[in-house]
Amino acid sequence: MSPEQSSLSPGTRPSARWAAVAAAIVVSAAAAGCSASPASTAAAAHHETRNADLTAAQGQQATAGRESFTALHISLAANDGAAAVGSADASAVAETVTATGLSALTYTATGTDGGLYKPQGVSADDGTVYVSNTGENVVATISNGTTTAITGSLEYSGEAGDGGPATAATVSHPTGTAENAAGDVFIADSSDNVIREITPDGVIHRFAGTGREGSRVDPASALDTELNQPQDVAVAPNGDVLIADTGNDRVLVVTPSGRTAIVAGDGIRGYKGDGQLGAFAELNQPTGVAVDGQGNVYIADAANNVIRRVDARTGIITTVAGDYAADQANDGLGGDSGDGGPATSAQLNDPQGIAIDSDGNLVIADTFNNAVRLVTPAGTIQTLWTGLKTPYAVGTDSTAPGVVYIANTNGSTIDKGTYTSTTSTATASPSASS
């Protein structure tokens, strides 16, 4: 991982099965703390800050996991959209995907020495492109050729200005952005360990996080839930906000009323759990998150070199792109292979950002391969563009099918590319089960 990067209304549904699972997690955590080999001691030291209250956090995680499954099943699945990537529902096979060359958007300096410097976030809505000018601690829009700073300061950083005009507020290392149908803009204010929200009246608010690095989840309040270097945000069709809580190795979901739950990640860094509830799986530095039209959640599990999906109907997590076993055979160093075949047989290299387009295609910022790749709903992968400079994020606009915006981070540009696909109606073998 480059040095550049450094829930839902919980209907209670107790059952013997869930009680047993929760108890097993707590017991397992306690047992791990009582038996320490030199290797496990080193691992514990590595996670000391995040897991200082491991036993209590795991019990809380188990409860939040149950709430997450219930909420996903009731809420996120009640939407329509293209078939989920790699699911049994995907029947259209893209025969060819043709991409144009890339062009850089014009980003006009928003002040003295305020040009675009190492952007790590990009999103788009109705023709407006939202850019996290990460190195300058500013978030701006590009619309009709005009660049406008919407929050942040070229002179100062940190979380200040909540409750007032966003243009007078400060942020620190802003990364992912997302917009909802009402016109609210959500920002992963990464180094401040919070998610900020700019409402249509131009006022900025803290949406999630306490401002202190930590891992505690408060199901009743996103503002009392601790985050650790959140890198990305996404908005589900029903208005819920997904958070890539990167330093805590998990993805959270927050309702508009502020209730919070865990969608994926048990807080222990690793790669486990496919075929099980996402809240009990292991992730490794999830840096990107996206949601499709059915409410399925996609996660750029960056340090595992894979993309994973949490099914909205079941809460089950699967891998839909990247081959973890092949990656481990390569000492976890990532790879660049698999174009034209199943995405789960391909290799990625530290994929940082993802987006879903209006046709249900999954677009991936394959960061250390300096490329952008696309996975069709049928699960076939193809490279769209190469020769980039560590792209950290990609964005799509539902009003502009076939358009991709790329945060070309070390190139300090926001690039725009287009692609078209020719499809047939033959049924394909999915790359992962629903």
Side-chain angles (χ1 to χ4, degrees):
M1 192 76 66
S2 164
E4 293 297 333
Q5 6 165 185
S6 310
S7 273
L8 297 161
S9 181
T12 303
R13 194 168 63 179
S15 69
R17 175 176 177 272
W18 277 111
V21 171
I25 287 181
V26 175
V27 170
S28 175
C34 295
S35 174
S37 66
S40 65
T41 300
H46 180 70
H47 300 297
E48 182 177 357
T49 300
R50 186 178 73 254
N51 296 326
D53 298 316
L54 179 61
T55 301
Q58 291 284 35
Q60 187 177 58
Q61 192 102 334
T63 301
R66 179 181 65 213
E67 292 165 349
S68 174
F69 171 75
T70 304
L72 281 168
H73 180 73
I74 292 173
S75 186
L76 290 182
N79 298 286
D80 297 319
V85 170
S87 74
D89 298 329
S91 59
V93 181
E95 296 178 331
T96 58
V97 178
T98 305
T100 67
L102 296 174
S103 59
L105 299 185
T106 299
Y107 183 100
T108 306
T110 57
T112 304
D113 297 323
L116 192 57
Y117 182 60
K118 296 192 174 181
Q120 291 187 25
V122 64
S123 60
D125 181 58
D126 198 22
T128 296
V129 181
Y130 294 80
V131 178
S132 287
N133 189 1
T134 308
E136 297 288 2
N137 296 310
V138 166
V139 178
T141 61
I142 302 176
S143 181
N144 297 320
T146 299
T147 303
T148 305
I150 60 173
T151 194
S153 168
L154 297 173
E155 290 80 27
Y156 305 100
S157 64
E159 187 194 2
D162 286 334
T167 52
T170 58
V171 293
S172 185
H173 203 83
T175 48
T177 57
E179 303 76 46
N180 68 12
D184 300 284
V185 180
F186 300 90
I187 302 165
D189 191 354
S190 180
S191 291
D192 286 325
N193 299 303
V194 296
I195 304 300
R196 312 281 286 278
E197 175 188 13
I198 302 176
T199 47
D201 58 3
V203 175
I204 193 167
H205 313 264
R206 182 190 294 179
F207 177 79
T210 65
R212 301 181 302 274
E213 180 182 302
S215 61
R216 188 177 73 90
V217 175
D218 186 338
S221 173
L223 293 173
D224 292 323
T225 291
E226 296 172 334
L227 305 176
N228 187 348
Q229 299 286 313
Q231 295 288 307
D232 200 12
V233 285
V235 180
N238 66 351
D240 295 327
V241 176
L242 284 299
I243 302 171
D245 190 8
T246 307
N248 284 322
D249 299 304
R250 67 191 182 192
V251 172
L252 304 177
V253 62
V254 180
T255 65
S257 65
R259 301 194 68 87
T260 309
I262 297 164
V263 172
D266 65 2
I268 298 174
R269 185 166 292 176
Y271 178 79
K272 290 182 181 178
D274 275 1
Q276 302 175 18
L277 288 174
F280 298 95
E282 292 179 0
L283 307 175
N284 194 342
Q285 299 183 56
T287 53
V289 64
V291 189
D292 68 18
Q294 296 181 345
N296 302 294
V297 179
Y298 298 80
I299 303 164
D301 195 357
N304 281 326
N305 293 315
V306 299
I307 309 300
R308 301 171 86 175
R309 169 171 59 81
V310 178
D311 189 274
R313 295 169 297 182
T314 65
I316 301 296
I317 192 170
T318 53
T319 296
V320 296
D323 186 336
Y324 181 76
D327 183 63
Q328 291 303 290
N330 191 35
D331 295 323
L333 298 177
D336 183 6
S337 67
D339 275 359
T344 50
S345 297
Q347 286 192 269
L348 308 173
N349 196 346
D350 209 45
Q352 297 283 315
I354 51 176
I356 299 289
D357 72 10
S358 57
D359 293 324
N361 297 300
L362 168 66
V363 184
I364 304 170
D366 196 355
T367 306
F368 285 178
N369 280 327
N370 298 304
V372 171
R373 305 173 81 175
L374 178 144
V375 181
T376 67
T380 301
I381 192 168
Q382 180 171 331
T383 296
L384 296 180
W385 298 284
T386 59
L388 294 156
K389 296 182 179 180
T390 55
Y392 271 52
V394 286
T396 58
D397 188 338
S398 62
T399 65
V403 175
V404 177
Y405 299 97
I406 305 163
N408 189 27
T409 304
N410 284 332
S412 292
T413 60
I414 298 296
D415 294 339
K416 177 183 178 181
T418 61
Y419 63 89
T420 58
S421 61
T422 303
T423 62
S424 71
T425 56
T427 299
S429 298
S431 64
S433 60
S434 295

